Amino acid sequence: MRVLIVEDEPHLAEAVRDGLRLEAIAADVAGDGDTALELLAVNSYDLAVLDRDIPGPSGDEVARRIVASGSGMPILMLTAADRIDDKASGFELGADDYLTKPFELRELVLRLRALDRRRAYARPPVREIGGLRVDPFRREVFRDGRYVALTRKQFAVLEVLVAAEGGVVSAETLLERAWDENADPLTNAVRITVSALRKRLGEPWIIATVPGVGYRIEEGNPG
């Protein structure tokens, strides 16, 4: 999952970004409305976390642009106010959820996971393919009933591959979905992470390499 955080309090934004990374959620930060719109124009995000009171175009305006784009991207709004009128106006703009400051990071993570699940309502919360059972809420992976311990980045990569339901996922897409905007496009981090993930999952290998194209989950042994 990749999230855009629009928050003009640097310490809060960094704390949220770092906390989400610990939960295998890639996050980019925008400190104002203009930067948020620029990032939205060039990157693909699963969710947006918007502070309503930000410099430049407000969080409300950013929300309007997201809704108008037709992307269907869920929006979680942050606010220091807990008045029902403020929440109502946010929902009218297209917000899908609301969180009042101060908040616990764990609650934010749970709400983001719930929004992501709602967005992909046709997919079961716990995904299964080729003997793999991936639970994004508990961050647990089982293969043929055997628990597999993964690093945060390995789990993030596996989530993207499993969500593709056997389709090929390019290295570029994995870099975009499981890393953040600071990732070097020329890095070999994807290859290294996929290799380590394949070994963690064990034989027969379930992650197939499609030369020159990318990677996919297979039920058989791709060699």
Side-chain angles (χ1 to χ4, degrees), residues 100-217:
T100 304
K101 298 178 184 178
F103 55 85
E104 294 289 335
L105 179 66
R106 182 58 179 159
E107 181 177 3
L108 174 62
V109 170
L110 290 173
R111 287 175 181 268
L112 290 177
R113 294 257 182 225
L115 286 172
D116 186 51
R117 180 182 61 187
R118 207 176 301 159
R119 177 179 62 88
Y121 64 89
R123 292 197 313 251
V126 177
R127 302 167 192 169
E128 299 187 28
I129 183 173
L132 282 179
R133 179 180 174 85
V134 180
D135 187 333
F137 279 85
R138 294 184 174 86
R139 282 186 54 211
E140 292 179 341
V141 176
F142 292 85
R143 180 165 190 200
D144 298 326
R146 172 180 61 88
Y147 175 72
V148 181
L150 299 179
T151 66
R152 292 185 294 272
K153 193 59 67 180
Q154 289 166 359
F155 187 89
V157 168
L158 183 61
E159 268 198 298
V160 177
L161 290 172
V162 169
E165 299 179 339
V168 179
V169 181
S170 69
E172 292 79 11
T173 297
L174 285 174
L175 192 66
E176 177 182 301
R177 309 304 294 175
W179 278 261
D180 58 32
E181 66 172 341
N182 296 314
D184 181 354
L186 300 179
T187 182
N188 59 359
V190 172
R191 180 180 59 80
I192 292 173
T193 301
V194 170
S195 177
L197 174 60
R198 183 183 281 127
K199 292 176 182 177
R200 286 284 184 99
L201 294 173
E203 297 184 4
W205 308 130
I206 194 171
I207 300 178
T209 299
V210 182
V213 183
Y215 307 92
R216 69 167 179 256
I217 298 289

